Amino acid sequence: MLFTDPERTPDPEAAADRLPRGAGVVYRAFGAPDAVARGRRLAAIARRRGLVLLAGADPELARRIGADGVHLPERLAARAGAVRRARPGWIVTAAAHGLPAARRALAAGADAVVLSPAFPSRSPSAGRPLGPLRLAALVRGGAFPAYALGGVSERTAARLLGTGVVGLAAVAALA
């Protein structure tokens, strides 16, 4: 799953075009003036390549660009149920930085959570890394579908084997 970022993925369209069929893109526009235009370009790539496109934190943007759903930051995860009721066919994921947040997101209606940071990350919002052992304990303890994000790269991905995550998410490693 590719998470876009204006600084670390300056060309999200090119990055999305390299992803394998079935991968996901979380388009985080962060209020960019060209958000709809870029989002529609990503949606076209997603349709052509068989990718899943989620809009980050913005159900209205997701609707306008024809996304498959929305990814909510942890602070907005409680809105998952409202999004699900408004758009029953959408995929809804939410960020979580620990087991209580993951459980709240899933109880609110999220389909899956994105646990972070798995490893040390250059993200300005990254906190203390979970590491593979703690990440595995969180996933096993909660028995929920989770993706690992934060410091995930070609070098670190193998350390996540056996943790129980359903997938990996990255920003710069997929840019």
Side-chain angles (χ1 to χ4, degrees), residues 119 150-161:
F119 299 106
V152 175
S153 68
E154 189 175 341
R155 182 181 60 77
T156 62
R159 294 178 58 203
L160 295 170
L161 291 172

Side-chain angles (χ1 to χ4, degrees), residues 47-118:
R47 281 189 298 277
R48 180 173 48 80
R49 306 258 315 130
L51 308 175
V52 174
L53 176 65
L54 305 178
D58 192 340
E60 178 58 21
L61 177 62
R63 184 195 64 75
R64 291 183 69 194
I65 66 175
D68 300 299
V70 68
H71 172 75
L72 301 170
E74 185 175 281
R75 72 182 190 286
L76 299 178
R79 296 184 185 171
V83 171
R84 176 143 328 283
R85 285 187 297 281
R87 298 285 181 172
W90 274 8
I91 297 166
V92 180
T93 63
H97 299 92
L99 187 55
R103 285 185 172 150
R104 283 191 302 272
L106 293 161
D111 295 301
V113 294
V114 178
L115 292 170
S116 71

Side-chain angles (χ1 to χ4, degrees), residues 137-158:
L138 287 173
V139 174
R140 287 189 196 113
F144 50 77
Y147 292 82
L149 171 69
V152 175
S153 68
E154 189 175 341
R155 182 181 60 77
T156 62

Side-chain angles (χ1 to χ4, degrees), residues 8-31:
R8 296 182 290 153
T9 52
D11 190 352
E13 294 92 342
D17 216 20
R18 292 189 300 269
L19 293 174
R21 181 170 295 282
V25 177
V26 176
Y27 172 48
R28 301 183 300 169
F30 295 115

